[in-house]
Amino acid sequence: AQSVTQLGSHVSVSEGALVLLRCNYSSSVPPYLFWYVQYPNQGLQLLLKYTTGATLVKGINGFEAEFKKSETSFHLTKPSAHMSDAAEYFCAVNPSRYGSGTYKYIFGTGTRLKVLA
Amino acid sequence: EAGVVQSPRYKIIEKKQPVAFWCNPISGHNTLYWYRQNLGQGPELLIRYENEEAVDDSQLPKDRFSAERLKGVDSTLKIQPAELGDSAVYLCASSPGQSETQYFGPGTRLLVL
């Protein structure tokens, strides 16, 4: 069965430091991959996605992620953390495609990012 | 463009009571999803609609949960009767028919006492 693993349920970084949130997936075929961010009491907002093409994907708010097929990973990074980055981050995969063209996600359990002043 | 709208934002009920959640997707989005997000977990799909047809409800506990999407626009998710374990955030999302990106609403936080 397909699954998504996010290593570290809580990550703390200092303001200005590198942010690295890890995501590994298991899928029998290369999936589509996503990172979402969730601020308190809000829904999920898409940060970035990988479907095909370039394996380094740039998203909003200075985040980027690299799809590494050999490592089955899609880690999220940001060179310099900002206080406003404090939120919960979810990695998601779409391992299958419905005939209608829409997709079914499997979400990881999330990583809560804390940014220290 | 307006986003996905959900109401109510918060609901507190006693166990065995019924409860309903409402979702208005982004205009023109044919696909609508209901997710449940338990504390400290990622969202889990309950049901997916293509227009007014429920095409994936394999994860919906049908003994107490029901959903409808009349006219292929708004949707309602109902729980009757609610149990303590139903306390969670219920998220609605929508997507255009040919897009892989889902757009989420703010969710309804349910507390069952």
Side-chain angles (χ1 to χ4, degrees), chain A residues 31-45:
Chain A
Y32 291 177
L33 297 155
F34 308 82
W35 274 100
Y36 280 85
V37 60
Q38 186 176 33
Y39 297 100
N41 298 318
Q42 295 187 28
L44 280 70
Q45 179 184 3

Side-chain angles (χ1 to χ4, degrees), chain A residues 3-5 23-27 29-36 46-52 54-55 57 65-69 71-75 90-96 103-108, chain B residues 100-101:
Chain A
S3 65
V4 178
T5 301
C23 174
N24 289 87
Y25 66 90
S26 67
S27 176
V29 297
Y32 291 177
L33 297 155
F34 308 82
W35 274 100
Y36 280 85
L46 181 69
L47 274 178
L48 49 80
K49 62 183 179 183
Y50 169 79
T51 54
T52 59
T55 56
V57 180
E66 186 171 11
F67 169 56
K68 293 187 176 181
K69 183 178 178 181
E71 299 177 7
T72 60
S73 69
F74 191 57
H75 301 331
F90 291 93
C91 180
V93 302
N94 175 7
S96 63
Y103 300 79
K104 181 174 184 175
Y105 287 18
I106 298 174
F107 285 88
Chain B
E100 69 279 10
T101 300

Side-chain angles (χ1 to χ4, degrees), chain B:
Chain B
E1 177 181 86
V4 176
V5 179
Q6 291 187 247
S7 68
R9 291 294 311 277
Y10 305 92
K11 189 73 176 179
I12 301 174
I13 61 172
E14 295 187 346
K15 63 181 180 182
K16 301 184 181 180
Q17 294 300 305
V19 64
F21 314 125
W22 175 81
C23 173
N24 179 241
I26 293 173
S27 177
H29 283 195
N30 296 325
T31 308
L32 184 146
Y33 311 77
W34 282 103
Y35 288 88
R36 178 168 58 189
Q37 184 178 18
N38 293 312
L39 189 65
Q41 300 293 317
E44 294 179 333
L45 182 69
L46 291 174
I47 189 168
R48 176 173 73 96
Y49 281 92
E50 292 287 347
N51 298 304
E52 62 272 7
E53 181 182 0
V55 296
D56 184 356
D57 63 356
S58 57
Q59 299 296 103
L60 190 72
K62 298 181 181 63
D63 57 335
R64 297 183 300 107
F65 285 66
S66 65
E68 60 182 11
R69 191 184 184 196
L70 299 176
K71 301 181 181 180
V73 182
D74 295 0
S75 178
T76 302
L77 178 69
K78 298 178 181 178
I79 308 175
Q80 183 172 9
E83 297 179 352
L84 296 177
D86 295 331
S87 295
V89 176
Y90 291 84
L91 294 165
C92 179
S94 69
S95 67
Q98 296 299 320
S99 168
E100 69 279 10
T101 300
Q102 297 181 20
Y103 298 86
F104 285 80
T108 296
R109 187 175 299 273
L110 174 67
L111 179 60
V112 182
L113 302 176

